[in-house]
Amino acid sequence: MKKIALSIITTSVILTSSANAGMVIDVEAGAGIWQPTLSGTMGYGNETVRTQLDLEENLDMKDTSSDLDNNYIYIDVDHFVPVLPNIRFERLNYSTSGNALLTNSIKFGDESFSSGQNLKTDMDMVQNDFILYWGIPGLNIVTAGILDIDFGIMAKQLDGYYSLTADDGTQDKVDFDVTIPMGYLAAQIDIPFLPLSLEASTKVISYDSSEISDTMIKASLNLPIPLPLIDTKLDVGYREQILKIDPELIGNFDADIKAKGIFFGLSAKF
């Protein structure tokens, strides 16, 4: 009888420990700087009068690698309930400016800009990504904790403005604020016997003549910082965004922009 009782107690302890081990909520947060270069075009106007401007040739807005205003933050909550989605939020602040000499007169928005003037351009954009995702059940266990693959849905909010200012004080500004649904796919590999992990993700949607994609690859190195229950990492990676926006999506404003470059930052997992 004592042996039976002891077996029941031992089994209960093991099952309880296993259940508690599985009931884990991981929270990861990070921040850093993105240093992209730009290429492409932007335009504004109606079907009758439309001006297209090349970011490199017309606006001198090609290199923003020294601009520390282009920063990002994120927070990720990964829980133990397979049916419910995990939650991730990302915020990217992006701004750039340029100066160029107008070689011909243009009309942008409600204003006309004469040739021969110096034209200052400013673009400021905030991207908020709200992501709901699930992991492939059992994959982490089957691969001994090496591989994770996540998939989900998300909404990307683009909020900002684009402005032109000439030497004579002529100025026009285009504001935009739009939220776009997208698909989300990510994978992470923890390198065995090394304090290193590799991660890649892509967010994409394409419809009508608009296309938006946001692709990232990242290497994270565990830092030897003795903080209880906190893993601190140095992140280095490469990010590329394609924003191809039809005029019907954001009231008479269109864009075909590619931004790509390295980023670096710090993250912590609790």
Side-chain angles (χ1 to χ4, degrees), residues 127-222:
Q127 299 182 33
N128 292 313
D129 293 352
F130 304 90
I131 305 169
L132 301 177
Y133 71 91
W134 295 262
I136 296 180
L139 180 61
N140 189 261
I141 297 175
V142 171
T143 60
I146 295 176
L147 176 63
D148 274 316
I149 296 179
D150 300 321
F151 61 94
I153 56 176
M154 59 165 286
K156 179 183 283 288
Q157 181 195 26
L158 304 175
D159 184 11
Y161 68 85
Y162 178 74
S163 68
L164 300 180
T165 305
D167 289 337
D168 63 0
T170 304
Q171 182 183 43
D172 205 349
K173 180 180 177 182
V174 176
D175 295 292
F176 53 87
D177 184 358
V178 62
T179 300
I180 302 166
M182 302 178 71
Y184 174 76
L185 181 65
Q188 179 175 316
I189 300 175
D190 291 322
I191 307 299
F193 311 114
L194 291 177
L196 181 68
S197 63
L198 302 177
E199 183 179 343
S201 70
T202 184
K203 310 160 188 172
V204 64
I205 190 170
S206 178
Y207 57 95
D208 291 337
S209 55
S210 296
E211 175 189 350
I212 297 177
S213 66
D214 187 350
T215 304
M216 175 272 296
I217 56 174
K218 179 176 74 173
S220 298
L221 178 66
N222 289 344

